[in-house]
Amino acid sequence: MAKNRKNQGGEFRAGPVVRAALLCLFLGGSAIGYVWQTQQVAKLGVERRQKENALARIESENALKRHQFDLQLQPRALEDRVRALRLPIGPHQPGQVIHVSEPAGGSITPARVNDGLASADAKPSL
Amino acid sequence: MALPRRLPEEPVAAGGANDFNMSLPPMTQRIVAISAGIAAALMLLVGRLVYIQIICGDRIQVRAEKQATLLRKRLPMRGDIIDAKGVKLATSVPAVSVAADPTLLVGRREVAARLLAPILMVDEAALAKRLEITVRPGFRTNNGVAQQIWLTNQFVLLQRKVPMDRWQQVTQAMATLPLLVSDETLARTNGVGRRALTNFWNAARTRSIQSTPDQIRTYPGQTLAAQIIGSTGQDELASGVLGLEAKFDDLLQGQAGWMISERDSHRHEISQFRRQDVEARSGNSLVLTIDAWVQYHLETAMAEQMKELGAKGMMGLVMRPKTGDILAMASLPTFDPANIRPGDSNFFNSRLVTDQYEPGSTFKVVTVAAALDAGLVRMDDKIFCENGSWHYHGRARPLRDSTPHGWLSVDEIIAKSSNIGAGKIGEKMGGVLMCDYIEAFGFGKRTDLPMPAESYGLVHRPDRTNHFPSGRVIPGWNGLSVAQIPMGQGIAVTPLQMSMAVAAIANRGVLMKPRLIDRIVDADGNQLSRTPVMPVRRVLREETANAIIESLKGPVAAGGTATRARMENYSVAGKTGTAQKPENGGYSDSKFYSSFIGFFPASDPEVLIAIIVDEPEYDRVHKNHQGGRAAAPVFAQVGTNVANYLNIRPDIIKTNTATASILAAGTP
């Protein structure tokens, strides 16, 4: 009997079904992949924005801390602090300065140089 | 068979509905009708599409892009102003400008004002008033046609320059603001609806107070070196308006960056669609020759003395004569650059560069130096000082000395500050030669210190009519000028010019260009440029300068006018001045500029200090208004501190008890 659309054989043909399934899988997979990728990009974008905000916040905090440090380095602030803590520090008074005159011929006397050389060159006694 | 009767008054149109109904089956008729309906609807949609896409396409595209595009300006941080040792004198910290959208605060205006007023430190009632919704008419053009619209105040700037910690307090306070939706409404709504409603009103509350990036210019030293540093305006770039902030505004300001991206319906950036992202470039920083500690010592000592003397003002300068480096420069009263008050405008500029005054006796140094250099006098030449009163060329009003003197050597004229002696030296020189030297010392010209509004001073040539940049015209010297100018009257100089002239003597006759900016560095600290140490010219021969330095020790020595300028371990050279202030076409007998300009160690000058007191309280009995009493003690005080701080090698070594005991202990 001739096979046509109305009179088909009873056997199951897997090929077209597999092809159709693969096509569906491909299309579905592509769609899901696209959505997943888009979601990932969006997620990374959000993360990036959050990290940028965090960085800006940290930089701002750093700037404030640097500013506090700058304030503490000011002469007036240091002097007030020294006064508040009653620290015995300040510019030295002329009476506290000891003036030591340097020897004219250099800082090491010849005798001492000779001593040093002698000890360096001395051979150990056997 | 009977034919159907056709009445002539009932015409049947050919091909009419009846024919159509008759010719198609009912199902087909329905399909055709529905198709026609769908086609008509599609045609309408296509028409609308054509209208939107083609006819209005451009306009709508612009609107859509505008709605979706996020343009964010990146604010550059202004560069710092730093002293020679790295102490920051001016710096910027991030801040925000706080603004409100009153349309989102409907019904909660008073509550919001109550929450925000203490944080922003403003009056609660005034803030509540500012948060009121206002409606005003406005115009908008639509296809070139002006349309009247009503505008509401959706952006009300509440405060600029709000520090970040206060902004955090603002956001925390706003989180406690009740939502506009009532609890009953929320209770009536369930599930997703309630969440959406809560989110919506939360977002509205968040957006009701907004912030935009800003920066605060701060001056950690408060009033320290305020007139040098200057101040900035209230704009977001903190543009300089005074002092170095104004002079170097372009360098300090930096370059703004920007970011162009897309935003979602919540106005959040969709960072994956970021198109342009250009970082802001922070401004460059100025590194000054000023030393904050020296500046502090100078300002403190000046403030104490000014109070003691009841003076109107005071100026001071500390510099290195060998390089022209200015270590400190101050004039009092001063101002706080971060908190400018209405009356402060008189103190904005550094009077050392903007003010010109008649220098008085300090100018005698220039006269004597010029005469010595020209070989017209020698240090041991004797000049008769007319016993204190000299009717110059028979003039009725005599030149006077405060103490009568007979014969004085040139050396003694400086030490005893004889006006008549200086006048006679000037007469010996003649006007033209005198004026040549005055100009060589730098008077009458700007020093080109990078400060705004520097004065030229007022030096006029003796032999011609003088036209000044200010438009002023002054004829040549009159008959008295040649005797008057050598003692520092009839000439106007700036304190800086006078200091540079004495510094030229201290520098063995070489005039230096003053240095205030040492270098310019970028935000990473890399050096971009450096101001070189620059000699201007040799004004005096070295031997003349040495002779003058020797004679300048005279005023500080016993019997001199400035014994109070003495320092324990350093030889000091300097000159006092007590110049009467011009008043009513003459000179005041009770208003003075009292000054002392000196340097140490005299054997090898390392530091020059100029102290000028403006109108110290006149003291007829004790003469405390005179330069030797009003200015010289400040010199000694500042000098001792600066010498200790800079570790300058003493040239007078006295064996004190500590040294003696150590030396004694070390003796075998």
Side-chain angles (χ1 to χ4, degrees):
Chain A
M1 199 169 82
K3 288 182 180 175
N4 54 33
R5 204 161 64 88
K6 289 193 176 173
N7 297 304
Q8 291 186 10
E11 72 271 21
F12 176 72
R13 291 196 301 159
V17 174
V18 171
R19 275 202 298 275
L22 282 174
L23 187 66
C24 287
L25 204 64
F26 173 72
L27 290 174
S30 299
I32 291 168
Y34 173 75
V35 170
W36 178 82
Q37 189 200 21
T38 312
Q39 275 183 340
Q40 283 301 108
V41 170
K43 193 177 150 197
L44 288 171
V46 170
E47 274 180 24
R48 178 185 171 179
R49 202 180 64 220
Q50 285 169 345
K51 283 181 178 162
E52 280 176 351
N53 289 343
L55 181 67
R57 196 172 59 250
I58 289 165
E59 281 175 350
S60 164
E61 282 169 12
N62 277 349
L64 285 176
K65 287 193 167 69
R66 260 199 309 271
H67 179 57
Q68 284 169 354
F69 182 62
D70 292 338
L71 287 174
Q72 287 169 1
L73 282 182
Q74 292 300 315
R76 195 187 304 268
L78 285 171
E79 205 166 84
D80 288 350
R81 196 82 184 131
V82 166
R83 209 173 292 141
L85 296 173
R86 296 181 184 173
L87 297 175
I89 54 174
H92 56 263
Q93 298 304 309
Q96 295 174 301
V97 181
I98 299 163
H99 302 287
V100 182
S101 54
E102 291 175 12
S107 58
I108 306 172
T109 59
R112 213 165 263 206
V113 173
N114 290 338
D115 286 353
L117 287 173
S119 61
D121 292 341
K123 289 178 185 169
S125 56
L126 296 172
Chain B
M1 185 178 155
L3 287 169
R5 188 170 60 92
R6 181 175 283 175
L7 296 173
E9 60 275 16
E10 291 178 358
V12 177
N18 288 346
D19 288 352
F20 177 78
N21 289 341
M22 279 187 292
S23 60
L24 293 172
M27 178 60 85
T28 311
Q29 284 177 27
R30 271 193 289 249
I31 289 170
V32 169
I34 290 167
S35 300
I38 290 171
L42 278 175
M43 284 301 289
L44 277 174
L45 284 176
V46 169
R48 181 70 183 157
L49 197 65
V50 168
Y51 177 75
I52 290 171
Q53 288 289 338
I54 297 170
I55 298 170
C56 306
D58 292 345
R59 187 161 51 84
I60 290 174
Q61 193 179 358
V62 169
R63 271 177 63 187
E65 276 177 9
K66 200 173 166 187
Q67 274 179 2
T69 303
L70 179 73
L71 169 64
R72 199 169 283 163
K73 200 173 161 187
R74 295 200 190 279
L75 198 67
M77 291 303 278
R78 193 173 171 84
D80 299 329
I81 299 179
I82 308 166
D83 90 332
K85 298 274 170 64
V87 176
K88 282 185 188 167
L89 301 172
T91 186
S92 292
V93 287
V96 291
S97 286
V98 177
D101 182 350
T103 59
L104 296 175
L105 286 169
V106 179
R108 296 161 303 159
R109 189 167 57 88
E110 284 83 7
V111 186
R114 197 179 313 134
L115 288 171
L116 296 180
I119 302 170
L120 298 177
M121 290 184 273
V122 290
D123 180 53
E124 187 184 318
L127 184 60
K129 176 93 180 147
R130 297 190 67 192
L131 293 176
E132 266 180 16
I133 297 179
T134 59
V135 181
R136 61 190 170 84
F139 287 95
R140 181 178 64 183
T141 51
N142 192 6
N143 290 334
V145 180
Q147 291 179 331
Q148 188 177 4
I149 55 169
W150 293 98
L151 298 170
T152 55
N153 53 342
Q154 288 186 312
F155 185 89
V156 175
L157 185 65
L158 298 182
Q159 202 170 69
R160 285 185 190 275
K161 319 268 176 208
V162 176
M164 297 306 282
D165 52 341
R166 286 225 314 258
W167 169 242
Q168 277 178 1
Q169 290 174 24
V170 168
T171 51
Q172 283 165 6
M174 286 303 288
T176 63
L177 188 77
L179 297 177
L180 189 60
V181 63
S182 66
D183 290 343
E184 293 82 47
T185 314
L186 280 177
R188 278 202 305 273
T189 325
N190 292 323
V192 180
R194 182 193 290 179
R195 203 161 48 241
L197 202 60
T198 313
N199 285 346
F200 173 80
W201 287 112
N202 267 327
R205 181 173 62 185
T206 308
R207 278 186 218 162
S208 61
I209 299 288
Q210 308 145 16
S211 71
T212 50
D214 204 341
Q215 59 181 305
I216 300 176
R217 192 67 170 165
T218 65
Y219 301 92
Q222 295 166 351
T223 58
L224 193 78
Q227 288 142 338
I228 301 171
I229 299 162
S231 183
T232 57
Q234 289 294 306
D235 58 321
E236 61 181 8
L237 291 174
S239 306
V241 290
L242 294 169
L244 293 177
E245 294 272 28
K247 190 86 179 174
F248 291 91
D249 193 36
D250 291 345
L251 270 168
L252 288 165
Q253 211 165 67
Q255 284 182 333
W258 67 87
M259 189 263 287
I260 299 175
S261 186
E262 287 188 18
R263 62 183 177 190
D264 60 16
S265 57
H266 297 284
R267 296 187 185 179
H268 293 143
E269 188 216 348
I270 310 171
S271 61
Q272 59 269 36
F273 297 135
R274 196 176 287 181
R275 281 173 264 163
Q276 291 181 26
D277 192 359
V278 179
E279 286 289 329
R281 194 192 294 168
S282 294
N284 300 319
S285 296
L286 298 179
V287 181
L288 308 185
T289 57
I290 295 286
D291 187 307
W293 273 100
V294 179
Q295 182 79 25
Y296 176 67
H297 284 311
L298 177 69
E299 287 189 13
T300 311
M302 278 168 55
E304 284 169 7
Q305 183 72 346
M306 193 172 132
K307 198 173 165 190
E308 180 81 20
L309 295 170
K312 189 178 164 188
M314 208 157 165
M315 293 169 259
L317 178 90
V318 182
M319 68 176 297
R320 295 268 198 184
K322 290 176 185 171
T323 57
D325 286 7
I326 293 174
L327 302 178
M329 188 164 79
S331 63
L332 299 178
T334 186
F335 69 103
D336 182 355
N339 183 25
I340 293 175
R341 291 167 303 173
D344 287 347
S345 58
N346 296 330
F347 320 126
F348 281 162
N349 289 319
S350 174
R351 293 180 62 194
L352 287 134
V353 292
T354 58
D355 282 21
Q356 45 192 33
Y357 74 117
E358 288 185 285
S361 296
T362 47
F363 198 75
K364 288 170 191 162
V365 181
V366 174
T367 307
V368 174
L372 273 178
D373 200 61
L376 296 171
V377 292
R378 287 177 308 177
M379 274 298 181
D380 50 1
D381 282 353
K382 294 278 183 183
I383 292 172
F384 182 59
C385 292
E386 307 284 345
N387 294 319
S389 179
W390 182 32
H391 290 268
Y392 174 71
H393 286 254
R395 287 181 186 263
R397 193 172 174 185
L399 292 180
R400 286 184 190 280
D401 278 337
S402 54
T403 313
H405 301 292
W407 289 91
L408 290 179
S409 67
V410 173
D411 217 11
E412 288 168 329
I413 286 172
I414 290 183
K416 297 186 187 300
S417 196
S418 166
N419 293 332
I420 296 170
K424 286 199 169 179
I425 291 173
E427 192 189 15
K428 220 172 208 181
M429 285 187 77
V432 175
L433 184 60
M434 180 78 212
C435 197
D436 287 345
Y437 269 101
I438 289 171
E439 286 178 346
F441 268 107
F443 296 107
K445 291 186 198 112
R446 284 178 170 165
T447 61
D448 287 336
L449 193 76
M451 293 277 289
E454 187 183 1
S455 294
Y456 287 86
L458 204 64
V459 175
H460 55 298
R461 295 287 313 177
D463 46 353
R464 59 176 161 79
T465 305
N466 299 269
H467 298 271
F468 290 96
S470 60
R472 200 168 167 184
V473 180
I474 296 182
W477 289 15
N478 60 31
L480 196 61
S481 296
V482 76
Q484 209 179 16
I485 287 176
M487 60 185 223
Q489 281 189 346
I491 185 171
V493 304
T494 66
L496 180 64
Q497 285 171 345
M498 194 63 234
S499 306
M500 293 312 297
V502 178
I505 293 167
N507 193 32
R508 314 291 174 191
V510 178
L511 180 71
M512 301 299 294
K513 200 178 175 75
R515 279 172 89 233
L516 183 62
I517 310 293
D518 180 53
R519 59 189 188 276
I520 295 166
V521 295
D522 67 12
D524 301 322
N526 303 313
Q527 184 177 308
L528 301 177
S529 70
R530 193 179 192 104
T531 315
V533 173
M534 202 184 283
V536 179
R537 70 182 77 87
R538 176 167 279 284
V539 186
L540 302 172
R541 286 179 287 119
E542 195 171 338
E543 49 273 32
T544 312
N546 290 340
I548 292 286
I549 291 171
E550 278 306 309
S551 73
L552 285 176
K553 289 180 184 172
V556 187
T561 54
T563 51
R564 293 179 188 211
R566 269 192 230 164
M567 290 165 64
E568 197 161 344
N569 296 295
Y570 300 91
S571 59
V572 174
K575 182 75 190 81
T576 53
T578 309
Q580 293 166 293
K581 289 180 93 171
E583 192 179 53
N584 304 326
Y587 287 97
S588 169
D589 290 328
S590 59
K591 293 176 183 171
F592 303 91
Y593 275 116
S594 304
S595 55
F596 181 80
I597 303 179
F599 48 87
F600 66 89
S603 53
D604 182 19
E606 289 281 351
V607 176
L608 176 138
I609 301 174
I611 305 291
I612 298 155
V613 188
D614 181 9
E615 279 188 37
E617 214 167 84
Y618 180 53
D619 186 349
R620 188 188 293 273
V621 182
H622 299 104
K623 307 284 182 194
N624 282 337
H625 63 279
Q626 289 187 344
R629 286 169 179 265
V634 184
F635 172 93
Q637 189 186 342
V638 175
T640 305
N641 282 330
V642 171
N644 284 337
Y645 174 69
L646 296 177
N647 210 12
I648 291 171
R649 196 185 174 89
D651 63 345
I652 301 172
I653 298 176
K654 291 177 186 167
T655 309
N656 54 30
T657 49
T659 310
S661 63
I662 283 179
L663 291 175
T667 311

